[in-house]
Amino acid sequence: MSLLEVDAVNTYYGDSHILFDVSMRVEEGEVVALLGRNGSGKTTTMMTVMGILTPRSGEVRFAGHTISGRQPYEIAGLGVQLVPDTRRIVKTITVQENLELAAFSAKSPWSLARIYETFPRLEQRKSFMGRSLSGGEQQMLAIARALIRDARVLLLDEPFEGLAPIIVRDLLETTKKLASEGRTILIVEQNVRAALLLAHRTYVLSKGHVVLEATPADLEARPDVMHRYLGV
Amino acid sequence: MHLIEAQALNGLALGAVLSLVALGLTIVFGLLGFVNFAHGALFMVGAYAGWVVYSQTENFFLAMVAALVVTFIVGLVIERVLIRMYYRRPPEDQILVTYGLAIILVEIVRAIFTGVTRQMPTPAWAAGTVQLAGIFYPQYRLVLIVIAAVTLAILYVVLFRTRIGLIVRAGIDDALIVNILGVNVNRTFLLVFALGAAIAGFSGIVDAPLLAVNPDMGTDLLVQSFVVVVIGGVGSFFGAILGGLIAGEIISLTTAFAADYSSVALYAAMALVLIVRPQGLLGVEGRA
Amino acid sequence: MQVKRNALAGSGSSAEPRIVAALTTTAARAACCFVVRNVPLTTADGAHSAALHVIRSVEPYDIPTVAWIAAVTATLSAVGVNVRHPPQERVRVSFKDATAAPSAKRGATSPRKETDLPVNRTEFLKTGLGTAAGLGLAGAGWDWARAAETPIGNYPAGTEGSSVFVGLLCDLTGSYSADGEDLRKGYLLALDDLNNGTGVMAKIASLAGKKGLLGKKVEYKVADTETKPDPAVQHATEFITQNKAIMFCGGVSSAEVIAMAKLGQQQKVIYMTGASGSNDTTGKDCQRYCFRSQLDAYMVAASLGPHLVKAYGKNRKAIYLTPDYSYGHSLANSMKAETEKLGWKTVADVVAPFPTSDYSSYLTNIANSDADVFINIEFGNDGIASTKQAAQFGIMKKMQLVIPNISTYLPDGLGPEIMQGVYGTQDWYWRLQDRYPLSKIFVQDFVGRWKIRPRWTAHIAYAQTAIWADAVTRAGTFNPVNVIKTLEEGKPTNLMLGPVHYRAGDHQQVRPCPVLLGKKPSAMEGKDDFFDVVDVVPGERVMQPLEDTSCKLPAYS
Amino acid sequence: MARARGAIVPLAMLVFLVAFPTLVGFAGGGVTLAARILVLGLFGLGVDLLFGFTGLLSFGQAAFYGTGGFVAGYLLIHHIVPSTILALAIGMLVAAVAGLVVGSLALRQVGVYFAMLTLAFSQLFYFLDNSPLRELTGGENGLPGVPRAEVFGIHFSSLQETYAFIAIVYFIGFVVMRRIVASPFGHVLRAILDNPIRAAAAGHDVYRYKLVAFTIAAAYAGLAGGLLGLFQGYLPPDMFTIDQSGQIIVMEVIGGPGTLVGPLIGATVWIYLSQVLQNIGAIGSLWKLVLGLVFVLLITGFRRGIAGGVSTFLQQWQRREPAPVPSE
C-alpha cells in the first residue's frame, strides 16, 4: 500500500472541470515530481490532496485513510503538509509566531531550536513581521512551517518560483537533504531541471489528465514528451 | 476653554464605547470575512439580558455577567445554526443573512418584552459627579472609560499573549493557511463569532445606563461602529481603538461648534480617510 | 477566447449611444399612444381599434413595436386614462354635468381646478375597468334620498353596505411601538364599545342605547406604520381606496400625523389624529379633514407655565434642550414665550440633532450654565436617554427638571427616582379617574380587557373615535362634509375629561389640560402610579389665539 | 426572427403591467399598491444591475432614492420647473451625480467594505436631509404637496392615470435596463460578477465599469424616488433611512437577483405578505419577525430568489429540447 494514493479524481473549480480521472501514488520515502505546463492542474492536484478542494468523484487516500472530503486541518493532522505556491506567510504576526502557529496542533513538533539550526536565517529574523520577509526567506519559513510539524508527506508547490538563482541553489540543497533523510515529498515545479534532480519518479500532467508516469531518466530520454508537455 | 476640555472628555467616553463595539465587529469581520449586521441587535440583546438580571437583583456586576454569557450563547447558537452554512458563500450572502438575523432578533425581543423602554438606571456606586478641573463630570462616564479600557486590555492579552489569540490574529490575515497548518478553524470561527457577540452584548449593558433600553437601540450604533472600523482599518485591534476615539472626538468637538453638522462631520471624516488611506488608518493594504 | 474578449471590450465604448438610442425610440413609442386622442375608445374593442389606428400611423415600425403600442394603449384605457379628451375640455364637460344631472353622472369628473388636485376621487370610484360606473348608478338608484348629494371621498360608496370601515394606523414596530400598541388597544376598545353599545360610548347622549353607527356595524383593520410616515401613508391609502374607509385615525409622531392629514384632505376622508403635539398639525399644516385632540405645544406651555412660576418663583433662569425638528422647536418656543411673559429668563436653547443617542456634548453646556430650571423638550426614547444622561451630569441636583410634554412610557424608562418632583403635562393620565366618572369607566373597561392601565395614547384613541361617532350620529349621515360641519359647530361631547369640542378655525380640540407632578417613589401605589394631578386647566383659557396659528383650513370639497 | 423573440419579454411585461392592478385587486390591494410596487420595482432595477449583475451589494441606495425624490418634488412643489418630465429628469440627474460621487469613493473598496461604506454614506445623506437642509426638505415632516404628473398637456390626475404614468416609466426603465444588461457593457459587468480579477486581467477597467453601473443604479433610484412623490403627493423623510436601503435589498433577494423582474416580484411578495400578515390576529405586530424568518430561509435555501428558482425549474423542464443559445 502506497503512503499517498490519488485514485481517479475529478475536481472542479466552480463549474469548470479541472482534473480528469487523475491517479497517482507516492511511496514512503519517495520524492515524486508533478510536471506540466501552466494550467495543467498541478496546483489543483495539490489542493485536492490537502483538502482545500473536494473532488466530485474519486478518492484520495493517505496511509490507509480516505482523506478526500475531509477538512484541511484534519488532513494536516494525519501528517500531510502543503507548502503552497504563494507561501501564505501570515503577514501580521512574527516569524516565530508563524512557526508556533504551525507547531500548535502537531503531534510531535520539532523544537524551534532544531528549525533555527536548519534555517539559521530565520533565527536572525524571528521577531520580524511576516510581511517584511524577502521572497527567499518567505519560502524558507513556509518549508520550516511544514517541517516543524514533522509532516510525513510534504507537498511542495513551486518552491523555487520567483527566487534568485543563488537562493534556489540553497533551497535545492535543503530539499535534497530532506529527501536523503527519507522524507516523502510530492513536488510541483516549473523548473523541470531542478525537479528532475530531486525526483525518484515523475508524473506529467496535461490539461488535467495524467499523460505519463516515468522516472527522471526515462523522461530525459524522451525529448518529444519534454517538448510537447513541458515546453523544454 | 475648559468647556473644550470637557468636550474632549466626552469624546473619550463616547469613543471608548465605540471602540469596544467596533472591536467586536472588526474581529469577527477580520477572521470570518464578513461584517455582522446583527452586531447592533446583539448589543441590544446584551442590554436586555443585563436589564432582566438587574431588575431582579439590582446588581450591576451580575447584569454585566449576564449580558456577556447570554450574548455569548446566542452567538454560539447563531454560528452553529446559521452562520456556519455561509462560510463558503459570497460575502454578500453573509451580510444579507446577518441583516435578516438582526430583524429577527429585534422583533423577538419586541415580542417578548414589548416595545416599552426599560428602566436601566446608573449603578448607585457610579451615579454621582466628580469635579475635574473646575467642571462637574458624571462619574459613570469615567467608569465607562475605565470599563472599556480594562476590557480592551483583557482582549489585548487574549489576542496577543495566548495561543488562541495567535490563531485568531493569524486567521484574520489568512484563515486558510491556519486551516492548512492543522488548526481546526471551524472551532476558532465559532469561538470568535461568539466572542464578537459577547463583546457587543457587554457593550450593550455598559452603555445601557446612558441609553433608552428598547428593541431599536442598536441600529444607530451599528452604523457608527461601521464608520469606526472603516476609519481604523478592518481587522486591526488598535485600528478599532483609534477609530473609536477619533469618531468620539469628532462627534463631541463638532457638537461644540456646529451641532447640526456633528453627524455629517463624522461621515465626512470617513470619506477623507478613504481618499487618503483606503485601507483605514491602521489597516493592512490589500485586505477586505 | 482572447479575440472575443477584445471584441467585447472594443464595442464597450459604443454602449452609451446605443442606450440613448434605445431610450429615445422607446420613449417615442410610448408617446405614440398619447397622440391618438381623437380615436373613440370606450371599451376593450375601442382599445383595439385605437391600436389599429396607431398601427396605420406608425407603419415604418416593425410588428413588435406596434404590439407594444397597442398594449400601452390598452393599459391606459384599462386603468381609466381618458385618452379621448384634452384636459381643458374635460373640465368644461364636467361643469355642465355637475349642474345638469349630478345624480346620473357619478362617474364624471367633479368641477374643480386641475391644479389643486392631487386626487380625482370620482374617477377613482370608477375602479379601473370601467365597470364601477354602472355600480355607482345602481347604488344611486337605491337611495333616492341621497341621490341629490354630490359623492365625496368614500361617501356614499363606503356606506352602502351594512357596515362602514374605519382604518387604524398604529406604530406596532419601530421606536414608538409601545405607544402604537397602546393606541391600538384604545381603538379596539372604542370600536367594540361602539358596536356593542357598551362602555363610555354608551354614556354619550347621542349614542346611548344604540349599537354600531347609524345602524351600521363599524368594521376596522389595524396596520403598522413602523413609526415612519411612508408606511403610514401607504396603509392609509389602502384603507381609503380598498376598504372604502369612511374615517381613518392613528399615528404617534407628528411627522406621520401631518402626512396622513394631508392624505385625508386630498382624498376627502376624515382623519382623526393619534398622538401629535406639534403646533403645525393645527397650524400651518392644518387640514379641513383633520381633527386633533392632543394638547398642542401652545396649550402645554400655557397650562404649565403658571404652575412652574407658582412652584419655583419668578425671576428664574431656564435652559432648554430641544430636538431639532418642528415639534421640538414649537414646544420650546411656546415654553419660552410663556415663561418669559411670567418673568423668567431664557439662558439658552441647546438644540440637538434628531436622533441623538449621546447627549454629553449638549449636557456639558447645560450643566455648566447658571440656569436653575432645565426644561427638556426631547421626546420618546430621546427624552429618556437625554434625561438619564442629564441626571448623571448632576444637572438635577443643581436645577429643577421640567418635561413639558411627558411621553407615554418616559416614566417607565426613567424610573420614579428621576421623575419625582418633575412638572409636566400629558394628554390624559389614569389618575384623572378620581375627578371624572367617565375616565373611571374607561380605566375599568380597559383594564378589564387588556389587563393593564391605559396610557394617554389609548385615551386619544378612544376619545377621538368617540367624538367622531358622536358627530356622525348628530349629523345623521356619514357624509364627511356634514360630519365636519357638525364637529365645527362646537357643540361639546361629554367624555373622559368632561365636555370637549373642536375649534372651528383650526380643528384643535378645546379640552381640559392636566398638569402633572412626579410622585416620590415611596408615595407610589403600583408600578404606573407616577404622577399627582396638580391641576386641570380649562382649555378655553389656554388656546392659542386663532389668528396666531397661521392655519388656513382648505375647502370642504 | 431574433428581433421578434427579443420582443417577447417586453410584450409579456406590458401585458403584465396592464393586468397588474387587477391582479393586485384580487389579492385585496388597490391601484395605489400596484403603483407603489412598480416604484419599488423600478428602484430595484438599479439594485439588480448593481447586485444581480455586478455583484455589488450597496446598503445605501436609499440616499439616491431620497435625493431624486426630494429634488424632483421640490422643483414641482415650488413650480421651479413646470414640466413633470423635466423635474423627474433633474431629480434623476442629481441622484446620478450623487451616485457618481459616492460611488467613486465607495468603489475603492470591495465586498463587505463596500457595503459598509455605502451604508455610512447614506447615513450622511439622511443627516443632511434631517438637519442642515431641513428648511428645504421639511426635515422630519417630509415634503407634502407634490402635484400629479402632467406630460405634453395630459394630466395624470386620478390614481389610475398615475398608475398608467408610472407603468409607462417603469416599462421604459425595464426595456432600457434590458438593453443595458444585454449590451457589451452588461457583459463586462457579468464578467466582473464572475471574477473581477479575470475581468481586470482581460483589460477592463473594473473600477470604471462598476462606477458606471453604480451611477446608473443611482439614477434609477432617483427616478423611482421622483415617482413615489408623484403618486402619493408626498415625500416621506424615511426614504433616506437604512431601513429603506435594507428593504429594497431584501426585495431584490426574495425576488431573485440578476433577473430584472426579481425586485418587482420581491416587492410584491414583501408588501403583500406584510399586508396579509398584519391582518392575521395571532401574528399582527409579529409580521416583521415572520418576514425576517422568511427572508433568512429564502437566502439560505434559495440563493436565486423566487424568479431565479422559477427560471431554474423552467430550464430543467426544457432541457429535453435543445437549449436556446445563451446571450453570452
Side-chain angles (χ1 to χ4, degrees):
Chain A
M1 189 184 63
S2 311
L3 185 63
L4 178 69
E5 278 176 283
V6 177
D7 187 2
V9 156
N10 284 281
T11 301
Y12 289 71
Y13 201 88
D15 278 338
S16 34
H17 198 167
I18 307 290
L19 298 185
F20 298 82
D21 290 319
V22 166
S23 296
M24 58 180 64
R25 67 196 155 79
V26 182
E27 305 294 343
E28 183 102 49
E30 197 181 20
V31 177
V32 173
L34 201 52
L35 304 173
R37 286 175 188 262
N38 241 344
S40 59
K42 304 184 299 286
T43 295
T44 307
T45 310
M46 298 294 237
M47 287 166 89
T48 307
V49 172
M50 196 64 225
I52 300 166
L53 296 174
T54 305
R56 279 205 195 165
S57 69
E59 231 181 49
V60 183
R61 285 184 293 272
F62 175 73
H65 302 87
T66 300
I67 58 171
S68 43
R70 300 177 79 169
Q71 290 270 326
Y73 75 88
E74 294 175 285
I75 294 169
L78 292 168
V80 179
Q81 198 55 55
L82 172 69
V83 179
D85 56 345
T86 48
R87 287 133 202 179
R88 302 195 90 123
I89 300 305
V90 182
K91 296 189 284 295
T92 51
I93 61 178
T94 63
V95 168
Q96 182 150 331
E97 283 175 326
N98 264 286
L99 291 166
E100 285 169 357
L101 178 71
F104 281 159
S105 61
K107 284 195 195 79
S108 52
W110 289 17
S111 66
L112 277 171
R114 189 172 164 195
I115 288 292
Y116 289 148
E117 204 179 303
T118 318
F119 300 102
R121 179 89 187 131
L122 291 181
E123 185 165 24
Q124 295 166 15
R125 297 246 155 200
K126 67 181 179 187
S127 55
F128 281 61
M129 284 290 167
R131 72 166 83 89
S132 65
L133 296 187
S134 73
E137 288 163 347
Q138 285 191 22
Q139 190 61 54
M140 265 180 227
L141 179 54
I143 295 174
R145 273 191 322 203
L147 287 178
I148 200 170
R149 295 180 53 77
D150 199 25
R152 286 179 72 184
V153 172
L154 282 182
L155 310 176
L156 298 181
D157 195 351
E158 311 249 6
F160 310 131
E161 191 197 12
L163 299 180
I166 186 160
I167 297 168
V168 171
R169 210 167 56 210
D170 278 2
L171 275 174
L172 204 56
E173 285 310 310
T174 313
T175 320
K176 260 187 192 159
K177 198 166 141 238
L178 291 172
S180 65
E181 285 166 5
R183 199 158 293 277
T184 314
I185 297 174
L186 177 62
I187 183 169
V188 160
E189 192 45 66
Q190 285 281 324
N191 185 340
V192 177
R193 300 282 163 218
L196 294 181
L197 271 176
L198 286 168
H200 302 134
R201 210 148 49 76
T202 65
Y203 287 95
V204 177
L205 271 175
S206 174
K207 293 174 183 164
H209 297 267
V210 175
V211 290
L212 189 72
E213 180 196 340
T215 61
D218 288 348
L219 198 61
E220 286 193 270
R222 293 185 60 182
D224 59 319
V225 173
M226 296 276 279
H227 181 72
R228 184 162 163 211
Y229 295 115
L230 308 176
V232 183
Chain B
M1 186 56 207
H2 68 280
L3 273 183
I4 296 297
E5 285 150 21
Q7 295 294 18
L9 197 57
N10 286 330
L12 186 63
L14 178 59
V17 176
L18 283 177
S19 299
L20 206 53
V21 178
L23 188 65
L25 196 68
T26 206
I27 291 179
V28 173
F29 187 4
L31 183 65
L32 276 57
F34 68 87
V35 72
N36 183 5
F37 270 56
H39 204 67
L42 289 162
F43 175 90
M44 177 273 298
V45 169
Y48 267 85
W51 168 75
V52 169
V53 169
Y54 188 86
S55 60
Q56 300 299 318
T57 64
E58 306 244 320
N59 185 327
F60 195 68
F61 286 106
L62 285 181
M64 289 199 283
V65 172
L68 261 178
V69 171
V70 169
T71 44
F72 189 81
I73 293 171
V74 170
L76 288 180
V77 172
I78 291 173
E79 204 275 352
R80 279 282 149 153
V81 173
L82 204 59
I83 303 298
R84 175 140 300 194
M85 290 191 271
Y86 281 82
Y87 288 141
R88 279 167 186 257
R89 306 218 354 210
E92 285 77 14
D93 286 20
Q94 298 165 338
I95 296 180
L96 288 170
V97 77
T98 58
Y99 179 78
L101 202 58
I103 297 178
I104 294 174
L105 286 174
V106 170
E107 296 308 325
I108 286 178
V109 168
R110 200 191 309 279
I112 298 173
F113 296 101
T114 76
V116 175
T117 299
R118 299 301 169 174
Q119 183 193 332
M120 185 68 220
T122 320
W125 43 267
T129 53
V130 288
Q131 208 176 350
L132 287 173
I135 56 164
F136 288 97
Y137 203 75
Q139 213 177 323
Y140 188 73
R141 291 213 178 228
L142 300 178
V143 169
L144 203 57
I145 296 173
V146 173
I147 291 178
V150 169
T151 315
L152 291 172
I154 293 172
L155 286 167
Y156 175 82
V157 170
V158 170
L159 274 173
F160 289 89
R161 296 283 177 268
T162 66
R163 176 178 286 205
I164 181 75
L166 176 55
I167 293 173
V168 171
R169 276 183 297 137
I172 285 175
D173 189 51
D174 186 346
L176 181 61
I177 194 65
V178 177
N179 194 353
I180 290 172
L181 291 173
V183 177
N184 183 349
V185 277
N186 293 341
R187 215 159 50 198
T188 314
F189 283 180
L190 173 66
L191 196 72
V192 165
F193 188 84
L195 182 69
I199 294 174
F202 183 73
S203 317
I205 185 62
V206 297
D207 212 12
L210 298 183
L211 302 176
V213 178
N214 74 321
D216 302 293
M217 68 190 288
T219 320
D220 290 339
L221 205 78
L222 177 74
V223 186
Q224 286 188 351
S225 55
F226 283 175
V227 175
V228 169
V229 170
V230 170
I231 291 178
V234 170
S236 163
F237 179 87
F238 295 104
I241 297 173
L242 182 66
L245 295 180
I246 289 176
E249 293 299 346
I250 287 175
I251 294 174
S252 291
L253 294 177
T254 341
T255 303
F257 303 108
D260 268 11
Y261 288 89
S262 62
S263 297
V264 175
L266 180 64
Y267 297 103
M270 181 195 71
L272 188 71
V273 168
L274 273 171
I275 294 166
V276 179
R277 211 179 140 77
Q279 72 272 31
L281 294 178
L282 298 181
V284 180
E285 206 151 352
R287 275 205 49 88
Chain C
M1 193 59 189
Q2 203 60 41
V3 176
K4 193 174 166 195
R5 271 203 206 113
N6 288 342
L8 291 181
S11 54
S13 56
S14 67
E16 290 99 59
R18 280 206 211 175
I19 294 163
V20 171
L23 184 64
T24 326
T25 46
T26 322
R29 286 167 187 177
C32 275
C33 57
F34 296 108
V35 183
V36 290
R37 284 189 204 139
N38 295 315
V39 181
L41 128 86
T42 47
T43 61
D45 282 343
H48 181 66
S49 63
L52 287 178
H53 179 85
V54 174
I55 290 168
R56 266 178 249 124
S57 64
V58 288
E59 239 146 357
Y61 282 100
D62 52 0
I63 296 298
T65 310
V66 173
W68 291 5
I69 292 167
V72 170
T73 317
T75 319
L76 293 174
S77 63
V79 296
V81 176
N82 197 335
V83 191
R84 191 164 25 155
H85 306 293
Q88 301 83 344
E89 190 184 342
R90 207 171 62 191
V91 171
R92 232 185 306 141
V93 166
S94 45
F95 267 115
K96 193 176 64 197
D97 289 349
T99 47
S103 65
K105 284 287 181 179
R106 187 158 293 160
T109 315
S110 64
R112 57 192 179 78
K113 279 184 276 171
E114 290 289 329
T115 44
D116 97 49
L117 74 76
V119 177
N120 181 337
R121 288 141 284 113
T122 41
E123 284 230 351
F124 120 96
L125 276 177
K126 272 199 302 194
T127 68
L129 296 164
T131 50
L135 284 178
L137 282 173
W142 289 331
D143 195 346
W144 290 105
R146 290 199 199 119
E149 286 179 336
T150 315
I152 185 157
N154 277 330
Y155 180 80
T159 60
E160 277 156 6
S162 59
S163 65
V164 291
F165 181 90
V166 165
L168 312 175
L169 288 306
C170 303
D171 307 41
L172 302 178
T173 58
S175 50
Y176 288 150
S177 60
D179 308 67
E181 180 56 30
D182 209 46
L183 203 60
R184 187 182 75 91
K185 292 188 164 107
Y187 285 128
L188 264 50
L189 182 67
L191 291 167
D192 291 352
D193 274 353
L194 184 62
N195 282 329
N196 301 329
T198 52
V200 175
M201 290 288 181
K203 306 288 177 194
I204 297 170
S206 69
L207 299 172
K210 291 177 189 158
K211 288 186 178 186
L213 204 47
L214 299 183
K216 292 178 197 289
K217 189 169 186 286
V218 182
E219 307 266 10
Y220 56 82
K221 271 186 187 170
V222 182
D224 180 10
T225 66
E226 307 173 44
T227 321
K228 291 184 293 192
D230 196 28
V233 170
Q234 174 197 335
H235 291 294
T237 309
E238 282 304 293
F239 284 149
I240 293 168
T241 58
Q242 284 314 105
N243 302 98
K244 301 272 170 282
I246 202 72
M247 184 273 273
F248 67 110
C249 47
V252 176
S253 72
S254 287
E256 293 169 289
V257 164
I258 288 172
M260 286 193 281
K262 200 91 186 173
L263 179 73
Q265 181 68 36
Q266 205 181 74
Q267 304 275 19
K268 305 292 177 281
V269 176
I270 291 177
Y271 167 60
M272 308 296 286
T273 68
S276 171
S278 172
N279 283 347
D280 291 347
T281 310
T282 51
K284 87 177 165 50
D285 293 319
C286 72
Q287 305 294 347
R288 180 69 68 183
Y289 279 76
C290 165
F291 293 85
R292 184 253 297 272
S293 68
Q294 193 188 331
L295 317 179
D296 63 19
Y298 186 93
M299 295 167 84
V300 167
S303 38
L304 189 58
H307 283 277
L308 293 179
V309 174
K310 201 168 87 189
Y312 303 134
K314 289 189 176 180
N315 304 321
R316 289 282 163 174
K317 284 174 284 183
I319 192 161
Y320 292 81
L321 177 62
T322 307
D324 191 15
Y325 54 76
S326 59
Y327 160 69
H329 290 299
S330 68
L331 184 51
N333 292 337
S334 298
M335 285 300 295
K336 275 186 261 181
E338 179 67 24
T339 52
E340 283 166 14
K341 200 172 73 192
L342 297 171
W344 284 18
K345 279 200 183 67
T346 302
V347 175
D349 184 359
V350 180
V351 177
F354 170 75
T356 297
S357 53
D358 188 297
Y359 288 89
S360 54
S361 310
Y362 312 98
L363 294 171
T364 306
N365 291 334
I366 292 170
N368 291 286
S369 73
D370 61 346
D372 35 31
V373 180
F374 168 42
I375 300 180
N376 192 356
I377 307 291
E378 296 279 349
F379 192 76
N381 289 319
D382 293 338
I384 294 170
S386 58
T387 310
K388 276 167 98 170
Q389 294 174 27
Q392 289 167 356
F393 269 91
I395 289 174
M396 271 79 112
K397 292 209 180 84
K398 294 169 62 185
M399 304 177 200
Q400 277 301 326
L401 170 66
V402 174
I403 304 177
N405 183 10
I406 303 171
S407 43
T408 327
Y409 288 95
L410 182 118
D412 305 66
L414 288 177
E417 289 293 339
I418 293 180
M419 286 311 293
Q420 60 180 315
V422 172
Y423 270 100
T425 68
Q426 282 192 334
D427 176 84
W428 179 85
Y429 181 61
W430 66 271
R431 275 285 176 192
L432 288 162
Q433 66 177 349
D434 304 338
R435 298 187 184 214
Y436 299 98
L438 288 187
S439 278
K440 197 172 181 96
I441 297 176
F442 174 58
V443 174
Q444 256 170 21
D445 291 356
F446 195 93
V447 172
R449 172 143 184 201
W450 303 110
K451 313 296 172 221
I452 52 164
R453 287 209 186 94
R455 300 294 176 105
W456 60 264
T457 28
H459 167 259
I460 289 179
Y462 199 106
Q464 288 276 71
T465 315
I467 295 169
W468 169 77
D470 185 32
V472 169
T473 315
R474 286 193 279 132
T477 171
F478 287 102
N479 186 325
V481 176
N482 298 17
V483 176
I484 291 170
K485 284 181 175 162
T486 307
L487 284 167
E488 287 173 345
E489 278 167 15
K491 191 167 169 252
T493 304
N494 196 31
L495 274 172
M496 285 85 98
L497 288 167
V500 296
H501 70 275
Y502 296 99
R503 179 160 70 177
D506 62 350
H507 294 186
Q508 168 62 42
Q509 193 176 72
V510 183
R511 37 83 42 94
C513 307
V515 176
L516 308 177
L517 178 64
K519 274 189 176 179
K520 282 201 181 89
S522 56
M524 284 170 65
E525 299 163 25
K527 269 170 112 178
D528 55 353
D529 186 22
F530 291 107
F531 301 107
D532 283 319
V533 179
V534 177
D535 190 12
V536 182
V537 183
E540 291 78 0
R541 276 205 257 144
V542 293
M543 294 293 281
Q544 185 176 22
L546 191 55
E547 56 275 19
D548 294 349
T549 60
S550 73
C551 165
K552 286 193 187 68
L553 288 171
Y556 290 92
S557 56
Chain D
M1 181 60 198
R3 209 164 159 170
R5 189 190 284 162
I8 288 173
V9 173
L11 258 181
M13 177 53 77
L14 262 183
V15 172
F16 169 78
L17 289 176
V18 174
F20 191 48
T22 318
L23 293 177
V24 174
F26 285 140
V31 70
T32 51
L33 206 58
R36 182 178 287 272
I37 291 171
L38 285 195
V39 168
L40 291 169
L42 184 67
F43 184 7
L45 279 173
V47 175
D48 204 26
L49 181 74
L50 266 192
F51 181 59
F53 289 89
T54 323
L56 292 171
L57 178 58
S58 164
F59 254 92
Q61 292 307 99
F64 314 120
Y65 186 51
T67 302
F70 275 78
V71 169
Y74 188 87
L75 295 176
L76 287 170
I77 292 168
H78 297 279
H79 306 292
I80 297 166
V81 166
S83 149
T84 308
I85 295 285
L86 187 61
L88 284 177
I90 293 173
M92 195 172 163
L93 188 72
V94 174
V97 171
L100 191 68
V101 173
V102 170
S104 64
L105 289 172
L107 287 166
R108 287 159 178 258
Q109 303 292 345
V110 294
V112 255
Y113 224 163
F114 169 77
M116 278 163 55
L117 282 176
T118 51
L119 187 140
F121 276 117
S122 83
Q123 280 298 93
L124 179 70
F125 278 73
Y126 173 75
F127 282 111
L128 278 175
D129 165 65
N130 233 334
S131 281
L133 299 179
R134 53 194 300 266
E135 295 303 321
L136 299 176
T137 61
E140 87 289 355
N141 286 342
L143 276 184
V146 185
R148 286 272 155 84
E150 182 190 347
V151 181
F152 306 132
I154 298 178
H155 289 261
F156 293 82
S157 49
S158 76
L159 290 173
Q160 280 76 16
E161 288 163 358
T162 304
Y163 172 81
F165 180 75
I166 291 171
I168 292 165
V169 177
Y170 176 83
F171 181 73
I172 295 168
F174 178 76
V175 171
V176 170
M177 189 55 86
R178 264 178 66 82
R179 292 281 174 101
I180 291 175
V181 299
S183 70
F185 172 76
H187 286 272
V188 177
L189 292 187
R190 250 167 296 180
I192 294 172
L193 170 70
D194 281 348
N195 189 339
I197 297 161
R198 200 190 300 161
H204 301 303
D205 185 346
V206 170
Y207 175 81
R208 183 161 294 185
Y209 275 94
K210 283 180 174 175
L211 188 57
V212 173
F214 196 84
T215 307
I216 293 173
Y220 267 77
L223 180 61
L227 291 181
L228 181 78
L230 280 184
F231 102 86
Q232 71 180 18
Y234 164 68
L235 287 158
D238 41 317
M239 287 173 87
F240 282 101
T241 55
I242 304 173
D243 263 14
Q244 183 71 65
S245 294
Q247 212 174 59
I248 195 73
I249 289 285
V250 168
M251 288 169 183
E252 154 89 351
V253 170
I254 289 180
T259 57
L260 292 189
V261 294
L264 196 60
I265 296 172
T268 311
V269 170
W270 177 269
I271 287 183
Y272 179 65
L273 272 185
S274 71
Q275 299 246 348
V276 168
L277 290 172
Q278 283 185 26
N279 284 303
I280 298 175
I283 294 178
S285 58
L286 298 181
W287 68 274
K288 238 184 207 169
L289 176 59
V290 176
L291 273 181
L293 287 167
V294 168
F295 171 67
V296 167
L297 285 178
L298 263 178
I299 177 126
T300 306
F302 302 88
R303 167 81 173 96
R304 300 185 59 215
I306 295 170
V310 169
S311 83
T312 309
F313 173 77
L314 286 179
Q315 275 168 17
Q316 281 166 358
W317 190 64
Q318 280 182 339
R319 198 151 277 182
R320 274 163 290 161
E321 296 169 40
V325 183
S327 48
E328 286 120 298

